[in-house]
Amino acid sequence: MLVAIDCIIFGFDGQHLKLLLIKRGFEPQKGRWSLMGGFITNDETLDYAAARILKQLTGLTYIYLEQLYAFGDPYRDPTERTVSVAYFALIDINKYEEQISHEYSAEWFPLKRLPSVIFDHKDMIEMAKEKLRYKAAFHPVLFELLPEKFTLPQLQTLYEDVYDAMIDKRNFSRKMLSTGLIVKQKDKEKNGSKKGAFYYKLDKRKYRAKFDAFLNLIPNPQSLK
Amino acid sequence: MLVAIDCIIFGFDGQHLKLLLIKRGFEPQKGRWSLMGGFITNDETLDYAAARILKQLTGLTYIYLEQLYAFGDPYRDPTERTVSVAYFALIDINKYEEQISHEYSAEWFPLKRLPSVIFDHKDMIEMAKEKLRYKAAFHPVLFELLPEKFTLPQLQTLYEDVYDAMIDKRNFSRKMLSTGLIVKQKDKEKNGSKKGAFYYKLDKRKYRAKFDAFLNLIPNPQSLK
DNA sequence: TCAAAAGTGTTGTCCTTACACCCATGT
DNA sequence: ACATGGGTGTAAGGACAACACTTTTGA
């Protein structure tokens, strides 16, 4: 019996939440899109294997990585009985090194326009989206997708895309600021608008301290599942 | 590489939340306490394997069963490299058939007085407790632990034991009743008190419909992790 | 009649939402 | 000057938490 890891890698380009997929370079299913994955070696933990595989594709280390679910349908991989432990990863898309991706012919896809993927990877992606929404409704995990400096409008766009909903900006900024998690900077981002929007930084100390607490980050969490 | 299943089985005896453990009848670690587990067979899903194993120990079918986490430390089982997918189960302790348990020398332990257990089963139990608290804070999953008919004081005792906290009974009953999930019966339970407490039944239709919605079932969820 | 547990209502506070106008600047 | 997006305040309603007394009945 084989044990594999598959990584659902989320990124945010300022407009939309995206997923990183690779084009399989080998049979079976050569040429089709797939999650980044691999088999675990004999002396590594699952977490370690996921981090190793993620590094191979993106070049990134110290990534937010969380175990999602173990998928074990006996025929999920038609060639061999493989149990796959799926992880989801949140990365700052700007830190992602392009050249490494080209080795693997990787590509970012907006969540709404995903190509068809091999095996049960579609189920994995669906579950990852659901879990991300669930988690982000209470924990400030979406900051993992942003660069060090970001603006409130950028942050709001991210939440709006994750929840596919419009959010009132006055309520949003009040709620965010009231968490004490973000710190206003002196400089502004000037590309997005004429007036420019102030940058904010995450207060990493408070972020770690409050990560497990319950924040009410989105309006009407009733709408989740 | 082996893939195993381990089940964290919760029950509620009216006073305390309990865990079902078995005494291992074989080496290694013969005679020590352990979660109920087994290996997956070649043509079953993980969910199916968990249900099969659960039936072997408890005789019960159609049990609430949810995948918890995959544990893959390379040395977690010192004899062989085994990845274990842990499931947690919630059962009505009254339906549990004693005779089957005796075959396996199983025993219920209050969560606060667990014996030492083999391998990484302690970690699994800790994670299961945490996940149960998290889940039950928003979803009415604790009803799975109760018999068909139960009283409000029994339900409250269950919540109080799960969260190790006192809950105001006026607020508790109002909140529960406002969910519309439970239906008052005409008869009373007369053992627990002189006055007797009305029985309630779960409205299974609404239960299924609202299971994924967000209910605010416990006061101050801030105290969770 | 007394003890023990069940059952029930009200009020104040805070959180959440809905909503509209002014500001700064590049063109 | 004007169009574009950034930034801010207030009021009303709803949810939650704190709190105490009456009821029932078995012993």
Side-chain angles (χ1 to χ4, degrees):
Chain A
M1 190 143 329
L2 297 174
V3 178
I5 302 283
D6 284 298
C7 296
I8 298 98
I9 306 171
F10 291 99
F12 178 64
D13 68 359
Q15 299 302 316
H16 294 292
L17 197 59
K18 294 189 162 183
L19 213 62
L20 189 59
L21 298 176
I22 60 170
K23 195 174 265 178
R24 255 171 101 91
F26 50 90
E27 295 296 344
Q29 308 269 7
K30 182 171 170 176
R32 291 190 61 202
W33 293 99
S34 152
L35 294 169
M36 179 67 178
F39 294 101
I40 66 174
T41 66
N42 234 316
D43 53 2
E44 64 185 358
T45 64
L46 300 175
D47 285 2
Y48 186 92
R52 171 178 59 75
I53 287 164
L54 197 59
K55 186 178 171 199
Q56 279 169 18
L57 179 63
T58 64
L60 293 174
T61 51
Y62 303 108
I63 290 307
Y64 182 87
L65 206 46
E66 181 179 333
Q67 193 188 110
L68 176 64
Y69 201 75
F71 291 80
D73 187 279
Y75 309 108
R76 54 175 295 283
D77 177 339
T79 57
E80 209 155 354
R81 178 71 201 263
T82 307
V83 171
S84 176
V85 181
Y87 276 75
F88 77 92
L90 304 179
I91 73 176
D92 172 359
I93 208 168
N94 307 296
K95 286 196 188 146
Y96 164 75
E97 299 175 27
E98 285 247 5
Q99 67 271 27
I100 295 182
S101 85
H102 284 147
E103 271 182 48
Y104 291 92
S105 42
E107 201 172 314
W108 289 101
F109 289 92
L111 276 183
K112 283 166 197 159
R113 315 241 159 146
L114 293 177
S116 100
V117 286
I118 62 167
F119 301 167
D120 53 358
H121 287 193
K122 192 173 177 200
D123 300 335
M124 294 181 177
I125 293 168
E126 275 310 306
M127 198 182 283
K129 280 164 60 178
E130 214 172 88
K131 184 150 182 180
L132 179 62
R133 286 193 192 191
Y134 198 108
K135 180 132 196 171
F138 302 111
H139 306 289
V141 72
L142 295 185
F143 290 105
E144 302 287 343
L145 291 161
L146 292 173
E148 194 182 3
K149 286 162 66 175
F150 52 85
T151 67
L152 272 179
Q154 284 167 3
L155 184 60
Q156 180 170 344
T157 302
L158 172 54
Y159 273 87
E160 290 181 335
D161 200 57
V162 168
Y163 293 101
D164 205 5
M166 295 284 100
I167 303 176
D168 181 274
K169 64 180 171 178
R170 291 159 290 191
N171 295 335
F172 182 80
S173 77
R174 194 186 5 246
K175 202 176 263 194
M176 274 299 159
L177 293 171
S178 77
T179 64
L181 288 175
I182 59 176
V183 182
K184 195 174 191 169
Q185 304 302 112
K186 297 232 163 71
D187 49 339
K188 283 185 164 186
E189 195 271 339
K190 309 278 288 182
N191 296 325
S193 70
K194 293 163 186 167
K195 184 176 178 184
F198 280 105
Y199 278 118
Y200 286 79
K201 277 188 179 176
L202 189 60
D203 180 333
K204 297 223 172 102
R205 188 188 209 90
K206 284 195 185 153
Y207 177 67
R208 275 187 290 269
K210 290 199 173 181
F211 190 85
D212 284 326
F214 275 78
L215 310 170
N216 257 19
L217 297 173
I218 65 151
N220 297 318
Q222 320 311 338
S223 59
L224 298 177
K225 271 216 315 182
Chain B
M1 190 142 333
L2 297 174
V3 178
I5 302 283
D6 283 299
C7 296
I8 298 98
I9 305 171
F10 291 99
F12 178 65
D13 68 359
Q15 299 302 316
H16 294 291
L17 196 61
K18 293 188 165 185
L19 213 62
L20 189 60
L21 298 175
I22 58 170
K23 195 175 266 178
R24 255 171 100 91
F26 50 90
E27 295 295 347
Q29 307 270 10
K30 182 172 170 174
R32 291 190 60 201
W33 293 100
S34 153
L35 294 170
M36 178 67 178
F39 294 102
I40 66 174
T41 67
N42 234 317
D43 54 3
E44 65 185 357
T45 64
L46 300 174
D47 286 2
Y48 185 92
R52 170 178 60 75
I53 287 164
L54 196 60
K55 186 178 173 199
Q56 280 169 18
L57 178 64
T58 65
L60 293 174
T61 51
Y62 302 107
I63 290 307
Y64 183 88
L65 205 48
E66 180 179 333
Q67 192 187 111
L68 176 63
Y69 202 75
F71 291 79
D73 188 279
Y75 308 108
R76 55 175 295 282
D77 177 337
T79 58
E80 209 154 353
R81 178 70 199 265
T82 307
V83 171
S84 176
V85 181
Y87 276 75
F88 78 92
L90 304 180
I91 73 177
D92 172 358
I93 207 168
N94 307 296
K95 287 195 187 145
Y96 164 73
E97 299 173 26
E98 285 250 3
Q99 68 271 28
I100 295 182
S101 85
H102 285 147
E103 269 181 48
Y104 290 92
S105 41
E107 201 173 313
W108 289 101
F109 290 90
L111 277 183
K112 284 167 197 157
R113 314 239 160 146
L114 293 177
S116 100
V117 285
I118 63 166
F119 301 167
D120 53 357
H121 288 192
K122 191 173 177 200
D123 300 335
M124 294 180 177
I125 293 168
E126 275 309 308
M127 198 181 282
K129 280 164 59 178
E130 216 171 86
K131 184 150 181 178
L132 179 62
R133 286 192 192 191
Y134 198 109
K135 181 132 197 170
F138 303 111
H139 306 288
V141 72
L142 296 184
F143 289 105
E144 302 287 342
L145 291 161
L146 292 172
E148 195 182 4
K149 287 163 64 174
F150 52 85
T151 66
L152 273 179
Q154 284 167 3
L155 184 61
Q156 180 169 345
T157 302
L158 171 55
Y159 273 86
E160 289 181 334
D161 200 58
V162 168
Y163 292 101
D164 203 7
M166 296 283 98
I167 303 175
D168 182 274
K169 64 179 173 178
R170 290 159 290 190
N171 294 334
F172 182 80
S173 77
R174 183 164 11 157
K175 202 177 266 194
M176 274 298 160
L177 293 171
S178 77
T179 64
L181 288 175
I182 60 177
V183 182
K184 194 174 191 169
Q185 304 301 111
K186 297 233 163 69
D187 49 338
K188 285 185 164 186
E189 194 271 339
K190 310 278 290 181
N191 296 326
S193 71
K194 291 160 187 168
K195 185 177 178 183
F198 280 104
Y199 277 118
Y200 285 80
K201 277 188 179 176
L202 189 60
D203 180 333
K204 297 224 172 101
R205 187 187 209 89
K206 284 195 185 154
Y207 177 66
R208 275 187 289 269
K210 289 198 174 184
F211 191 84
D212 284 326
F214 275 77
L215 311 169
N216 257 18
L217 297 172
I218 66 152
N220 296 318
Q222 318 312 339
S223 59
L224 298 177
K225 270 216 316 182

